[in-house]
């Protein structure tokens, strides 16, 4: 093992999905997993297999399909969780069970109601059981950031002796301060007698906005795995952002003296994919992947960059995937060129029927939109795959919206092939459209989020709409893309309703049956 290599453990699909409101279908998780594999992340935490049948299936599908990254499932330190994780990972090229138990006084006393020795015994039993089922086991001390260091050293030594090969020290509630967290990691590595038999990992939450700083302090102190998420998604204020960790390590290799194996040019497309699927927009001033991250507004800065880019840029926009959204295809491109470009983007359609459907959508789009970019293809495939399993379909939409008049939407839908028509007024064209759809469907849901993002630049860009619907505390996200944002909105609403019909309404992952 290269001593200076920091392993990137991505938990977008597990901790990221714990962001309030982020929910992904199994197919979407697989698409994100493929983007993570293209980024060359070392470990993909695919989910919490025991949380629900849907989570199990998603972990299994990712384990069965991902070949170049290790695929991991979370499991509490109990036999049933560990066995379910092992079952889901059975088809993996390289699988890992990640088992955890809380180690802080507050968690042990109030949540687990166990004495420290009982926690230690349970951890050892869990790691041994996991090792019997899987050669690669990671052990996490939940709430390590508020745990006592003596107890951490004892439980970690025991977990390594029981067979854990990665020890994760999470700052579960984002309480740590960089120099202090780094010192904790240094002391643990020094004091645990068998620490040389494990890789030390950190998993920092962002409650004080310090997740990336704490993770880097831990790397300086000897941690060689960082757990992070695309766009910093995750429970509450989120996790350390993968793109920030990776680019800090790359840009300041002179200070940090370590490197990762990430293909940084694929960062932006992964960020956009996750943002589109979860409906969590990226703030414009977000480091690395925000729209303004490489924009120079002031005249002095612009002048400097024109004369010599490094005057105001510490890394190039291209190095993280900006300006590489190649013009993919045009109106005259044929089916083979279309299939080849999808292959290059790592998109595999299940069969010829789906390829034909996607190709015919591509031709329709090319009639409306002069230039078709990779992002357009991603959205188009996403729409095609979801439409294939749709119970409700949009047949026709007519929206009238004039200054000073109330907008009216007339919609024709089919529900399992039977046609329905409805008409409604609304406060705006989108509101009228959703109300007309609701007249047909009466879904008894509440709209929690509506967001529109331009997929590419220019006024001919497709708008990508995300709609989040809630029913009895459970949520679902629907997506739709079109050059007409009212049509995109209708598609996203109908997509959410179809997902509900397919049983995709989800509770918060940690409340889902565990
Ligand atoms: O934040 C945390 O402690 C976690 C663990 C399960 C690793 O997510
Ligand atoms: Zn976490």
């Amino acid at each position: 093992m290269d001593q200076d290599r920091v392993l990137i453990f991505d938990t977008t699909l597990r901790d990221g999905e714990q962001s309030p409101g982020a929910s992904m279908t199994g197919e979407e998780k697989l698409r994100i997993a493929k983007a993570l594999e293209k980024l060359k992340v070392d470990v993909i935490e695919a989910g919490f297999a025991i949380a629900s049948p849907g989570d199990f299936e998603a972990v299994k599908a990712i384990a069965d399909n991902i070949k170049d990254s290790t695929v991991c499932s979370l499991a509490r330190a109990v036999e049933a969780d560990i066995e379910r994780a092992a079952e889901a990972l059975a088809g993996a090229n390289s699988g890992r069970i990640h088992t955890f138990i809380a180690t802080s006084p507050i968690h042990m006393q109030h949540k687990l109601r166990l004495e420290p020795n009982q926690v230690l015994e349970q951890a050892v039993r869990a790691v041994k059981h996991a090792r019997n089922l899987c050669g690669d086991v990671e052990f996490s001390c939940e709430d390590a950031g508020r745990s006592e260091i003596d107890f951490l050293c004892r439980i970690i030594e025991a977990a390594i002796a029981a067979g854990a090969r990665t020890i994760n020290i999470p700052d579960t509630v984002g309480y740590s301060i960089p120099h202090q967290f780094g010192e904790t990691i240094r002391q643990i590595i020094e004091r645990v007698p068998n620490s040389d038999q494990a890789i030390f990992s950190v998993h920092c939450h962002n409650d004080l906005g310090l997740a990336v700083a704490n993770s880097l302090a831990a790397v300086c102190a000897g941690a060689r795995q960082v757990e992070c998420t695309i766009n910093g998604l995750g429970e509450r204020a989120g996790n350390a952002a993968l793109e920030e960790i990776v680019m800090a390590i790359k840009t300041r290799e002179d200070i940090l003296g370590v490197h990762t194996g990430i293909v940084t040019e694929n960062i932006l497309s992964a960020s956009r994919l996750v943002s589109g699927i979860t409906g969590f927009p990226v703030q414009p001033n977000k480091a690395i992947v925000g729209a303004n991250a490489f924009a120079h507004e002031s005249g002095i800065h612009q002048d400097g960059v024109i004369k010599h880019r490094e005057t105001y840029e510490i890394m190039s926009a291209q190095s993280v995937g900006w300006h590489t959204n190649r013009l993919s295809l045009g109106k005259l491109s044929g089916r083979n060129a279309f299939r080849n470009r999808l292959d290059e983007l790592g998109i595999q359609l299940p069969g010829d029927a789906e390829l034909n459907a996607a190709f015919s959508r591509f031709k329709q789009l090319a009639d409306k939109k002069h230039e078709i970019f990779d992002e357009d293809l991603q959205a188009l495939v996403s729409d095609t795959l979801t439409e294939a399993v749709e119970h409700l379909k949009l047949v026709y939409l007519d929206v009238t919206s004039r200054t000073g008049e109330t907008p009216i939407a007339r919609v024709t839908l089919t529900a399992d092939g039977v046609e329905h028509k409805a008409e409604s007024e609304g406060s705006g064209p989108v509101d009228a459209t959703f109300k007309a759809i609701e007249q047909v469907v009466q879904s008894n849901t509440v709209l929690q989020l509506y967001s529109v993002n331009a997929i590419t630049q220019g006024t001919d860009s497709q708008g990508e709409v995300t709609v989040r619907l809630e029913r009895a505390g459970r949520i679902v996200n629907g997506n739709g893309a079109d050059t007409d944002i009212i049509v995109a909105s209708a598609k996203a609403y109908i997509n959410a309703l179809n997902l509900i019909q397919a049983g995709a309404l989800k509770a918060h992952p940690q409340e889902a049956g565990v």
Side-chain angles (χ1 to χ4, degrees), residues 365-478:
L365 182 63
D367 271 341
K368 290 193 252 173
K369 191 171 185 287
H370 191 50
E371 302 170 320
I372 303 223
F373 294 94
D374 292 346
E375 287 84 349
D376 290 314
L377 290 184
Q378 303 261 21
L380 180 146
V381 166
S382 185
D383 266 12
T384 312
L385 287 176
T386 48
E387 198 175 68
V389 289
E390 277 176 356
H391 130 90
L392 278 178
K393 286 189 201 299
L394 177 68
V395 179
Y396 176 77
L397 177 65
D398 168 17
V399 182
T400 317
S401 176
R402 295 195 185 92
T403 334
E405 286 182 23
T406 305
I408 302 177
R410 289 170 200 89
V411 66
T412 307
L413 300 177
T414 56
D416 292 328
V418 180
E419 198 166 283
H420 302 267
K421 289 180 193 289
E423 180 176 318
S424 175
E425 293 186 342
S427 59
V430 173
D431 186 48
T433 303
F434 289 1
K435 284 185 172 142
I437 296 172
E438 274 301 327
Q439 277 187 21
V440 177
V441 181
Q442 293 169 12
S443 70
N444 199 20
T445 55
V446 178
L447 180 69
Q448 271 204 344
L449 172 137
Y450 169 78
S451 84
V452 196
N453 278 304
I455 293 184
T456 52
Q457 286 174 348
T459 48
D460 71 344
S461 164
Q462 291 195 83
E464 186 170 46
V465 174
T466 303
V467 159
R468 181 174 306 143
L469 298 181
E470 187 242 290
R471 187 197 281 160
R474 300 164 79 84
I475 53 152
V476 77
N477 285 331

Side-chain angles (χ1 to χ4, degrees), residues 14-15 74 98 100 140 142-143 168 170 172 203 205:
R14 199 276 298 169
D15 212 316
L74 187 66
H98 175 193
F100 73 99
S140 281
E142 193 192 9
D143 204 18
N168 184 38
T172 303
H203 172 115
H205 279 270

